[in-house]
Amino acid sequence: MSSLISEEEIAHETELVWLEDPQALDYVRQSLDRLPTRKGKPAYHRDGRMVGYAILGPGAKPSRSSGTFRRRVFWLLPHDRDTDPTGLYTKGAPAEAVDPRTVAAGVKGYKTERSEGGPPSTAMRELGITLPL
């Protein structure tokens, strides 16, 4: 979950690869997955779809016990707001969700008015950003 991801755990990220335009998504779910490599597109084994993932630099060390690397993966489930705008997350967002515009390599990101499905902030209105209501 995003609140459980520390900056230390993602300090070796060198790049985020987006498989979908993060500007088009109100929120993405993020998790730290144990993966066999530092880079490359990981296999995806959840419902829904993977929308992005992190690439780790050479300083990232594998787990001594499993030999795997902890890498961030960004994903969405079939009942998330992007595919079901009037469903469960019309307002609010899952615990592990963050606004993808607040995420960068080594930066865990956070929730915003947009990711929570709330009214647009003054800054959003000034920028001409509107929410799908």
Side-chain angles (χ1 to χ4, degrees):
M1 292 192 185
S2 64
S3 60
L4 301 178
I5 294 175
S6 72
E7 301 287 337
E8 182 179 296
E9 291 175 301
I10 58 176
H12 292 288
E13 291 179 348
T14 58
E15 179 184 354
L16 297 182
V17 175
W18 292 104
L19 304 172
E20 296 184 24
D21 179 6
Q23 299 297 319
L25 300 169
D26 289 347
Y27 65 81
V28 294
R29 295 171 185 256
Q30 70 176 347
S31 59
L32 278 174
D33 291 0
R34 293 202 173 274
L35 300 170
T37 63
R38 288 182 182 94
K39 55 187 175 181
K41 183 178 176 184
Y44 185 72
H45 303 289
R46 292 181 180 92
D47 287 341
R49 66 193 195 276
M50 178 172 40
V51 295
Y53 57 91
I55 304 263
L56 303 179
K61 302 291 184 226
S63 164
R64 287 185 217 167
S65 59
S66 67
T68 58
F69 297 90
R70 291 188 57 150
R71 287 173 53 195
R72 256 191 316 178
V73 174
F74 302 95
W75 45 285
L76 290 166
L77 292 175
H79 62 274
D80 281 324
R81 189 182 312 140
D82 70 303
T83 53
D84 189 4
T86 61
L88 178 63
Y89 294 113
T90 299
K91 298 285 185 203
E96 66 273 14
V98 294
D99 185 331
R101 292 159 218 65
T102 67
V103 174
V107 177
K108 66 182 184 175
Y110 52 90
K111 291 182 179 181
T112 63
E113 292 96 340
R114 181 180 178 128
S115 67
E116 291 287 351
S121 66
T122 303
M124 287 175 64
R125 287 191 300 273
E126 287 172 359
L127 293 170
I129 300 170
T130 58
L131 294 171
L133 297 176

